[in-house]
Amino acid sequence: MSETAENDGLLDALPVDEGTVRTTGLYVALYGAALLFLLPYLWMLSMSFKTEAELFAQEPHWIPSEITLEWYEIVLSESLVLRWTVNTLIIAGVTTFLVLVVDSLIAFSLTRLDWPGQNAVLAIIIASFMVPAYVNIVPLYTLVADLGLISNFSGVILPLTAGPLGVFLLVQFFQDFPEEIEEAARLDGFSTFQIYSRLTLPLMKSPLTALALFTFVTSWNQYLWPLIVLQEEVAYTLPIGLVTLSSNQVFQPGLMMAATVVASLPLFVVFLILQDHLINAVKIQGTTG
Amino acid sequence: MPNPSRRDCAVDRRKFIGAVGAAGVAGFAGCLNSLPGGDGDGEDGIEYWTLFGGGDGDAMESMVDQYNEEHDTQINRQRQPWDEYYDKLYTALSGGSAPDLAIIHTSQLAAYRDHLQPLGDLIDDSTADDYVDSIWSMTETGDDRLALPLDTHPAGFYYNKDIFEEAGLDPESPPETHEEFSEACDAIAENTDYNAFGPTPYGGFELIRTYFMFLRQTGGQLLNDDNTQAAFDTDTGVEVAEYLANVSGEWGWDSPEISDNRWEKEFRSGQLGIIQNGTWFYGVAADADFEFGMFEPFVYPDGDEEYTWADSHTIAIPRDPDRSEEETQGALEAAIWLTQEPDTWGTEAGHLPASESILESDELRDTDVWKKTLSTYYEMAQNDQLAYQPRIESMTDYQDPLWENLAEIYSQNLSPEEGISNAAEEINSTLE
């Protein structure tokens, strides 16, 4: 009891009100949580610079006493890491571009045009969420093999462009697009395609960015499908190529961590570039939903 | 919103469509042209799939480079990720884009029997004579010769000489009998702060290896003769499991925790006295800060027979209806060359080559790896002391229930009787 009284007294003496205390508490909690999320990444960085002796030391050290670039040298010199990065960029970039074009066209047609069976098509698209991706792998593989797209980037890209998530996301936003603006544009002589390209797309920049980032990250990180389709070392994406560096029978944490840092850096840059738009997209969803 | 004139709109629309089209075409052209082989069936050379990373990967790379320098036909080595290697090979085979050569473990040969080109008609007895008999016969499935053995990689026990010294043991005379082994482990447990014995290097799965070698040392078997039932659900099988349970329990040689790579980490940081591991461990152990030694794992009490767990890498030619006879012959010659010519696989990767001539060569026998580990492994191979696990189409059918229960036993969560009968029950219901 006495402690509480003491604390109260202390607070009274300071020029703070309850609101400030609450805000401070909130920030402390938020930054604390953020730090928790950051910890694994810091540990990854720390491990990638450690010498073997320190990696296997019984007591963990946050800051390596001796910094080594050995693991990065192995990753950069003994592998086609540059080639793999370019491959991944091409695949993720083209996939993102195609998803944006295709999904926005589909969503526009589903929400802003009138044609019979719209609801049924939307229902089918949403229902396809229920089918796990793994179920499709065998038929998809036979299809891609029959098309002669094995070990070909198109074989990796095309199946991803038909995902339901993008359509579903954009339909939600396109539905809220005010009729009045569309009518006004029509009175001004806009064709349907102009409404799509000159009104809807620019105004929907935030959800499109969110979708772009989401697609890019998914495509960047995908492992199983490119692994099945791509059979040549020169064609690998980063996630596959980096796995081939390590040996199953010899545990090399430093090498793995350096490889992971190398693989995640480009994504980090993409996120930094797009983060404003991403935050906007989330804000819009929060207030209009 | 400003009111654009119709002319502007038209120009913009064309621009937009043009841009989309151009970008799309450029993107696709980029994809299609960025691959050298195009559809990847390797028409100009021998397409060769391996699963080797780390030091093994480097050794194989230099072998392939040497082949390519000496021959007109080129080998295109494709390094595939280890964990998914067999799934990927399977999909490639069913998708009709099989490689010309592929590394296959002996333990996997049965599963790929229908997908591999039998070599019986293509090779003669003189080829067989070039390989160590025991390895050659172990890599045969039924009547078919499906692949050429590259090596054998048995398990042995590696020990830390510093810890032996600290425990008051003679670091130059490792244990040879089960009494000596028990005394050594007890001494380490009592006189030092370190763990004495790790029966698995990487995790629960490799407990199978120690269990299997001890089981064979007492005359037990994993499966019955026609591989339709578990054969380890006997007093002997339970006793071996009890031995493992005592290691982490009663005797205090190790702690009862199963976590990934724990033992390897402990050994490499000088915190573990003895570890079970394979030929490939040489390079890693040699890099450690302490002196290490290796001895034969024939230390099970009442073990009348001397066996260690082993497996082999082999090189096989996957079936491909589109491959000409000439190409098959070329692939076979490359496989013979890779398994017979370079000594790199022994000197650099530390595996025991299957080729007689390499094994007898001075290049190999003068190396440190031969003196420290390979000579002991060679002795075991010569004495027919290699035990290969029973080969069935899906190895996981019996491996998974067995290691999962062994891990529970080792963690002291299940009694040996219960764990072994659980494992046997599960295996029997799957194999039936």
Side-chain angles (χ1 to χ4, degrees):
Chain A
M1 256 336 263
S2 64
E3 249 176 57
T4 326
E6 220 171 88
N7 279 346
D8 282 349
L10 200 69
L11 281 182
D12 285 341
L14 290 167
V16 288
D17 55 29
E18 209 179 313
T20 322
V21 174
R22 206 173 288 150
T23 319
T24 316
L26 185 69
Y27 275 108
V28 168
L30 285 179
Y31 278 111
L35 185 72
L36 277 183
F37 283 107
L38 206 62
L39 279 181
Y41 298 97
L42 293 177
W43 187 238
M44 168 175 89
L45 264 180
S46 152
M47 280 179 87
S48 71
F49 288 111
K50 278 183 189 164
T51 57
E52 189 155 299
E54 210 156 337
L55 282 167
F56 287 100
Q58 212 60 358
E59 287 142 30
H61 293 275
W62 270 103
I63 296 168
S65 53
E66 186 191 336
I67 286 181
T68 174
L69 294 176
E70 184 193 350
W71 308 117
Y72 287 95
E73 272 165 29
I74 297 180
V75 171
L76 296 176
S77 68
E78 287 184 18
S79 71
L80 304 168
V81 72
L82 204 68
R83 173 95 207 190
W84 295 334
T85 313
V86 173
N87 290 349
T88 323
L89 266 176
I90 295 176
I91 289 178
V94 176
T95 307
T96 309
F97 176 77
L98 285 180
V99 164
L100 287 185
V101 173
V102 173
D103 285 4
S104 64
L105 281 170
I106 298 175
F108 185 80
S109 142
L110 282 172
T111 51
R112 316 308 301 185
L113 303 178
D114 271 326
W115 43 278
Q118 262 177 322
N119 286 337
V121 170
L122 185 62
I124 291 173
I125 291 177
I126 294 172
S128 66
F129 265 122
M130 311 294 166
V131 186
Y134 298 99
V135 175
N136 283 329
I137 280 191
V138 176
L140 202 56
Y141 180 77
T142 2
L143 186 68
V144 166
D146 287 347
L147 290 172
L149 296 180
I150 294 296
S151 233
N152 190 309
F153 288 174
S154 315
V156 182
I157 293 166
L158 293 177
L160 255 200
T161 52
L165 179 88
V167 175
F168 178 66
L169 181 83
L170 292 181
V171 160
Q172 300 305 306
F173 280 98
F174 284 17
Q175 256 165 3
D176 296 337
F177 188 71
E179 267 325 293
E180 294 76 14
I181 298 184
E182 199 184 321
E183 267 166 33
R186 268 187 211 288
L187 287 177
D188 285 338
F190 268 42
S191 70
T192 308
F193 189 78
Q194 280 167 341
I195 291 171
Y196 163 76
S197 62
R198 310 220 29 204
L199 273 183
T200 320
L201 287 189
L203 286 175
M204 291 294 159
K205 214 192 234 161
S206 293
L208 287 171
T209 319
L211 177 61
L213 192 74
F214 191 75
T215 314
F216 194 85
V217 173
T218 318
S219 168
W220 186 277
N221 287 330
Q222 55 166 350
Y223 182 73
L224 185 65
W225 182 246
L227 175 78
I228 296 174
V229 174
L230 304 175
Q231 301 190 337
E232 290 175 57
E233 226 173 300
V234 282
Y236 287 167
T237 57
L238 271 175
I240 305 172
L242 295 174
V243 172
T244 64
L245 284 186
S246 74
S247 159
N248 187 49
Q249 303 280 27
V250 179
F251 179 52
Q252 288 174 303
L255 180 66
M256 277 335 283
M257 290 304 135
T260 320
V261 171
V262 170
S264 52
L265 270 185
L267 269 192
F268 187 63
V269 172
V270 168
F271 179 77
L272 283 186
I273 296 172
L274 292 181
Q275 65 171 342
D276 284 349
H277 291 293
L278 189 73
I279 291 164
N280 270 342
V282 178
K283 272 201 288 201
I284 292 171
Q285 203 165 29
T287 49
T288 61
Chain B
M1 175 128 312
N3 180 7
S5 72
R6 275 205 67 81
R7 206 178 55 86
D8 284 344
C9 285
V11 169
D12 278 353
R13 182 172 65 185
R14 268 187 228 119
K15 252 196 225 158
F16 177 76
I17 295 173
V20 169
V25 168
F28 269 106
C31 299
L32 298 174
N33 292 335
S34 65
L35 291 179
D39 58 0
D41 56 19
E43 285 146 17
D44 335 320
I46 299 164
E47 207 69 16
Y48 173 38
W49 282 23
T50 81
L51 39 58
F52 303 118
D56 290 1
D58 297 341
M60 185 48 79
E61 185 178 8
S62 72
M63 285 159 73
V64 168
D65 288 348
Q66 194 189 334
Y67 178 91
N68 288 345
E69 265 168 40
E70 294 176 14
H71 296 78
D72 292 335
T73 327
Q74 299 290 291
I75 297 179
N76 306 317
R77 182 184 62 108
Q78 305 303 333
R79 195 162 49 171
Q80 311 286 352
W82 176 291
D83 282 341
E84 293 82 9
Y85 178 73
Y86 285 106
D87 294 337
K88 194 173 172 183
L89 185 61
Y90 201 85
T91 11
L93 286 165
S94 46
S97 50
D100 301 310
L101 288 179
I103 291 285
I104 298 197
H105 282 88
T106 305
S107 52
Q108 296 288 341
L109 278 175
Y112 285 85
R113 183 180 288 147
D114 299 337
H115 299 282
L116 301 178
Q117 171 81 45
L119 306 178
D121 299 338
L122 301 168
I123 52 175
D124 49 30
D125 291 345
S126 69
T127 315
D129 292 341
D130 294 338
Y131 298 88
V132 176
D133 281 344
S134 59
I135 306 177
W136 181 258
S137 59
M138 281 299 180
T139 47
E140 203 145 42
T141 50
D143 301 329
D144 295 331
R145 156 86 13 214
L146 293 174
L148 301 176
L150 176 64
D151 65 16
T152 183
H153 44 267
F157 286 177
Y158 294 77
Y159 69 102
N160 180 328
K161 291 189 177 175
D162 294 356
I163 294 184
F164 262 50
E165 218 165 270
E166 207 180 316
L169 299 159
D170 178 4
E172 298 313 321
S173 66
E176 282 174 12
T177 62
H178 102 86
E179 287 93 2
E180 286 173 18
F181 182 72
S182 299
E183 281 162 23
C185 289
D186 284 341
I188 298 171
E190 279 163 28
N191 305 338
T192 72
D193 298 335
Y194 311 127
N195 282 328
F197 174 52
T200 171
Y202 308 111
F205 183 81
E206 288 79 16
L207 272 175
I208 287 189
R209 296 179 185 170
T210 305
Y211 182 77
F212 176 60
M213 66 171 85
F214 285 175
L215 189 68
R216 289 292 305 268
Q217 287 175 21
T218 52
Q221 292 284 353
L222 271 191
L223 301 180
N224 63 359
D225 288 341
D226 44 7
N227 293 338
T228 50
Q229 266 202 321
F232 58 85
D233 190 11
T234 57
D235 289 348
T236 322
V238 173
E239 277 162 27
V240 177
E242 213 168 308
Y243 187 93
L244 291 179
N246 285 341
V247 166
S248 60
E250 207 182 314
W251 301 333
W253 294 352
D254 188 23
S255 51
E257 296 157 40
I258 300 273
S259 63
D260 279 354
N261 298 309
R262 172 165 79 85
W263 302 266
E264 197 199 345
K265 273 192 232 170
E266 282 182 12
F267 190 79
R268 285 167 78 174
S269 62
Q271 316 271 331
L272 177 63
I274 304 168
I275 190 173
Q276 177 265 104
N277 214 335
T279 45
W280 56 83
F281 196 54
Y282 168 78
V284 182
D287 281 346
D289 291 338
F290 52 85
E291 276 287 300
F292 83 96
M294 179 239 151
F295 60 95
E296 296 169 341
F298 309 139
V299 295
Y300 187 70
D302 318 318
D304 304 328
E305 293 172 62
E306 302 192 322
Y307 277 117
T308 184
W309 171 94
D311 201 351
S312 286
H313 292 117
T314 69
I315 304 185
I317 306 179
R319 277 182 204 267
D320 182 355
D322 299 335
R323 198 187 294 124
S324 71
E325 256 174 57
E326 207 178 312
E327 283 169 324
T328 307
Q329 196 59 40
L332 178 67
E333 273 158 29
I336 292 178
W337 189 92
L338 284 169
T339 51
Q340 283 292 337
E341 291 302 321
D343 51 36
T344 327
W345 199 240
T347 53
E348 277 181 34
H351 300 288
L352 188 74
S355 152
E356 288 276 13
S357 59
I358 299 177
L359 281 170
E360 278 156 23
S361 71
D362 292 341
E363 282 81 19
L364 183 63
R365 297 205 167 195
D366 288 342
T367 54
D368 285 341
V369 56
W370 179 266
K371 287 167 199 155
K372 292 214 89 158
T373 61
L374 279 190
S375 51
T376 313
Y377 285 121
Y378 181 56
E379 212 173 292
M380 293 197 270
Q382 291 295 75
N383 296 338
D384 269 332
Q385 291 164 335
L386 309 182
Y388 283 65
Q389 279 179 223
R391 279 172 288 188
I392 61 171
E393 258 182 47
S394 171
M395 297 284 284
T396 49
D397 284 355
Y398 76 80
Q399 289 190 150
D400 286 357
L402 182 57
W403 80 256
E404 281 160 12
N405 280 291
L406 285 175
E408 291 293 317
I409 295 172
Y410 197 76
S411 317
Q412 312 289 329
N413 293 332
L414 270 183
S415 74
E417 293 83 17
E418 253 179 296
I420 290 302
S421 80
N422 283 353
E425 223 168 275
E426 267 181 72
I427 291 170
N428 290 342
S429 69
T430 321
L431 292 186
E432 255 164 33

